[in-house]
Amino acid sequence: DTGVSQNPRHKITKRGQNVTFRCDPISEHNRLYWYRQTLGQGPEFLTYFQNEAQLEKSRLLSDRFSAERPKGSFSTLEIQRTEQGDSAMYLCASSFGRTTEAFFGQGTRLTVV
Amino acid sequence: AQKVTQAQTEISVVEKEDVTLDCVYETRDTTYYLFWYKQPPSGELVFLIRRNSFDEQNEISGRYSWNFQKSTSSFNFTITASQVVDSAVYFCALSEAGIQGAQKLVFGQGTRLTINP
């Protein structure tokens, strides 16, 4: 197993454009999480999937953000009408069950210009 | 509300010195998990340890050791005989009991550790 994979690693976009990120979790992991990390800060929880169901969303996830996990496998995070404040590292993590540790991907660094 | 505080923003030591990274947490839950993650320049968060709230035994793994003290709500991390490869940002995190069994992590702000040769 190659671990959690995220694509792209870097994305530069103009303000107002839409962007989509992809996360491929570890294959047997049924839980998938998205976090956002801004410079000099710790990651902050955005949303959580158990299999294909999105069960929890943070208040940080405005209506411009949408996440999906079709068929309980990979997940996508889309940001519509990007703003400069969306510039951050977007991290995906997966785990099997609630009490096991989450494994993180290398993240997608978004820069909105 | 859950909160994790890592008061040390940056630490710089010379190789082979011992260094302790502090972590203090706040929670109302009686059952919770504490974690340490390492974030090297590549950006990936690397899992180091998970400790549940009922297990206050200290743990040692090679040059790494962890001191969990429930009485002071602290979960400190010590690196013995530090090496340049230990340079990274280290995060302490607390699992929050989210709905439907989510393991939501609440992270501290991180401590940037620099080991100088």
Side-chain angles (χ1 to χ4, degrees), chain A residues 9 31 33 35 37 40-45 48 50 55-56 89 91 97-106, chain B residues 31 33 35 37 39 42-45 47 50 91 96-110:
Chain A
R9 293 290 313 280
R31 294 164 188 257
Y33 306 82
Y35 288 81
Q37 184 180 18
Q41 302 295 317
E44 295 174 292
F45 171 81
Y48 156 68
Q50 184 170 323
L55 298 182
E56 190 166 356
M89 175 80 87
L91 293 163
R98 180 185 176 197
T99 58
T100 60
E101 60 270 22
F103 291 87
F104 282 79
Q106 289 186 301
Chain B
T31 303
Y33 289 85
F35 302 78
Y37 282 87
Q39 189 174 43
S42 61
E44 180 178 356
L45 282 163
F47 167 79
R50 174 175 59 100
F91 290 98
E96 182 175 311
I99 62 172
Q100 309 267 9
Q103 186 194 95
K104 294 164 53 178
L105 295 176
V106 176
F107 286 85
Q109 289 192 308

Side-chain angles (χ1 to χ4, degrees), chain A residues 29-34 45 47-57 66-70 72 74-77 93 95, chain B residues 102:
Chain A
H29 285 184
N30 60 344
R31 294 164 188 257
L32 187 145
Y33 306 82
W34 285 98
F45 171 81
T47 190
Y48 156 68
F49 289 86
Q50 184 170 323
N51 299 312
E52 68 276 8
Q54 186 175 21
L55 298 182
E56 190 166 356
K57 294 196 291 187
S66 62
E68 295 181 344
R69 193 184 181 197
F74 70 92
S75 176
T76 57
L77 178 67
S95 69

